[in-house]
Amino acid sequence: MKVFTTVTSLQEALKDVQDKGFTVGFVPTMGALHYGHLSLVAKAGSMTDIVVVSIFVNPTQFTDKNDLTNYPRTLESDLKLLSSVRCDYVFSPSVEEMYPVEDTRKFDFGYLETVMEGEFRPGHFNGVAQVVSKLFAIILPQKAFFGLKDFQQLAVIRKMVRQMGLPVEIVPCDIVREGDGLAMSSRNKLLLPEYRNCASIIYQTLKEAKELTTTKSLQFIKDFVVNRINANGLLKVEYFEIVDENSLMPSKNFNEPGAKVGCIAVFAGKVRLIDNIIFDIN
Ligand code: PAF
């Protein structure tokens, strides 16, 4: 595993492998790696010849300065974890290396960026698109791997790839969960023990909601999820929406065609957690 901190050194190494006709799989991360990330890296390794992982806490996607400051940075242990799977190249640039000049680009993802995460973190997806499009341009991967936990991010990235006509295939990867069901996230490291203990309620409630979809109305399920989680006292739901899996438009009832996804954001103290569940009813 080789670690690169500059664009030119990474590109030199990649030119060699690309000239030989090897396919490149790319896993973008912000570090603080966990087994969810490793599952993306393993999937990339099973589908492409050379696996590149980026570790970069991207300032342009943070809407809250404290969140950016507090975001866990654990490069040494990240590299240790990555050496336990097949990762060929790690790209860990500085902010100056990624943004030698300010990125003033404005993307327009229409409806996709105005709901859920977009509503509560305005500008977030613009920052994600800035950094991911830059990383794609540097690395030129054939395939890029994104976790389904960030369901809306995946939809935004797919749209960006279509809008920009980029020759990269986006590969969605299943959510990886802790033993008690909590979706793995770098932010879990920030949870104080009392919040960590009750955070499993989020997924337990989503699973119960899924069972109710055959007998209860969509509105009943929305209220059920919000009330059940908030009743805990330590958790506070920011939003819970049931949306069409492609358009992310809110669904009115379960009879509408197409799969629906229940997407949720919850505050566990100061830590914001997101999760989702697919309601494949039809
Ligand atoms: O999902 C993340 O960790 C980040 O949003 C990403 C895709 C690495 C861009 O900074």
Side-chain angles (χ1 to χ4, degrees):
M1 186 173 85
K2 289 187 186 145
V3 182
F4 300 90
T5 56
T6 65
V7 172
T8 45
S9 60
L10 174 68
Q11 281 181 326
E12 257 170 47
L14 280 170
K15 189 174 175 328
D16 253 15
V17 300
Q18 277 158 339
D19 282 351
K20 289 188 183 121
F22 292 131
T23 55
V24 173
F26 173 45
V27 181
T29 82
M30 296 206 298
L33 302 183
H34 49 70
Y35 288 102
H37 292 112
L38 292 194
S39 76
L40 306 189
V41 179
K43 191 157 182 171
S46 73
M47 293 175 71
T48 54
D49 301 319
I50 297 289
V51 177
V52 183
V53 175
S54 65
I55 297 179
F56 178 64
V57 181
N58 172 39
T60 72
Q61 71 188 72
F62 282 81
T63 49
D64 173 352
K65 277 245 157 11
N66 283 332
D67 194 18
L68 173 60
T69 311
N70 295 334
Y71 200 84
R73 289 160 173 87
T74 57
L75 185 60
E76 228 169 89
S77 59
D78 290 346
L79 295 179
K80 224 181 243 161
L81 261 189
L82 285 175
S83 59
S84 69
V85 288
R86 186 169 77 72
C87 168
D88 300 294
Y89 298 163
V90 178
F91 181 46
S92 167
S94 64
V95 173
E96 296 69 35
E97 183 69 12
M98 277 305 283
Y99 296 107
V101 292
E102 193 188 348
D103 192 341
T104 53
R105 288 175 299 160
K106 294 268 178 278
F107 292 80
D108 182 358
F109 300 118
Y111 189 73
L112 286 188
E113 65 181 328
T114 61
V115 285
M116 300 191 293
E117 292 300 293
E119 181 183 345
F120 290 95
R121 303 172 76 191
H124 167 67
F125 288 124
N126 200 66
V128 170
Q130 286 176 339
V131 76
V132 172
S133 59
K134 261 174 177 278
L135 289 164
F136 282 176
I138 293 166
I139 295 163
L140 300 174
Q142 274 73 35
K143 296 183 199 295
F145 298 79
F146 290 84
L148 277 159
K149 182 172 80 67
D150 297 294
F151 195 86
Q152 191 171 4
Q153 171 170 279
L154 187 63
V156 164
I157 297 293
R158 281 184 160 137
K159 186 155 186 178
M160 179 194 84
V161 164
R162 285 200 307 274
Q163 281 178 340
M164 298 178 75
L166 303 177
V168 54
E169 180 193 339
I170 303 302
V171 182
C173 303
D174 288 340
I175 299 176
V176 180
R177 298 184 179 279
E178 302 287 354
D180 64 359
L182 177 65
M184 285 194 185
S185 162
S186 305
R187 291 171 196 270
N188 295 355
K189 288 192 172 81
L190 303 173
L191 289 169
L192 296 172
E194 64 265 37
Y195 292 104
R196 173 63 192 85
N197 288 340
C198 64
S200 59
I201 292 171
I202 301 168
Y203 184 55
Q204 279 161 21
T205 306
L206 292 180
K207 277 199 305 188
E208 284 177 46
K210 185 168 178 158
E211 277 163 29
L212 292 175
T213 53
T214 48
T215 52
K216 300 289 186 197
S217 72
L218 189 142
Q219 189 56 50
F220 178 95
I221 289 171
K222 282 182 75 171
D223 295 341
F224 165 81
V225 167
V226 174
N227 294 336
R228 167 67 61 93
I229 294 175
N230 284 345
N232 170 268
L234 287 177
L235 303 175
K236 179 96 189 74
V237 175
E238 186 172 52
Y239 67 77
F240 174 62
E241 288 290 349
I242 299 177
V243 300
D244 175 83
E245 72 164 343
N246 295 313
S247 68
L248 303 193
M249 289 279 213
S251 304
K252 293 199 178 57
N253 61 66
F254 289 121
N255 299 329
E256 291 169 3
K260 321 265 175 293
V261 191
C263 297
I264 194 161
V266 178
F267 275 101
K270 292 203 170 88
V271 182
R272 188 172 180 278
L273 303 170
I274 61 170
D275 202 347
N276 64 74
I277 193 161
I278 312 249
F279 299 128
D280 41 3
I281 301 139
N282 299 312

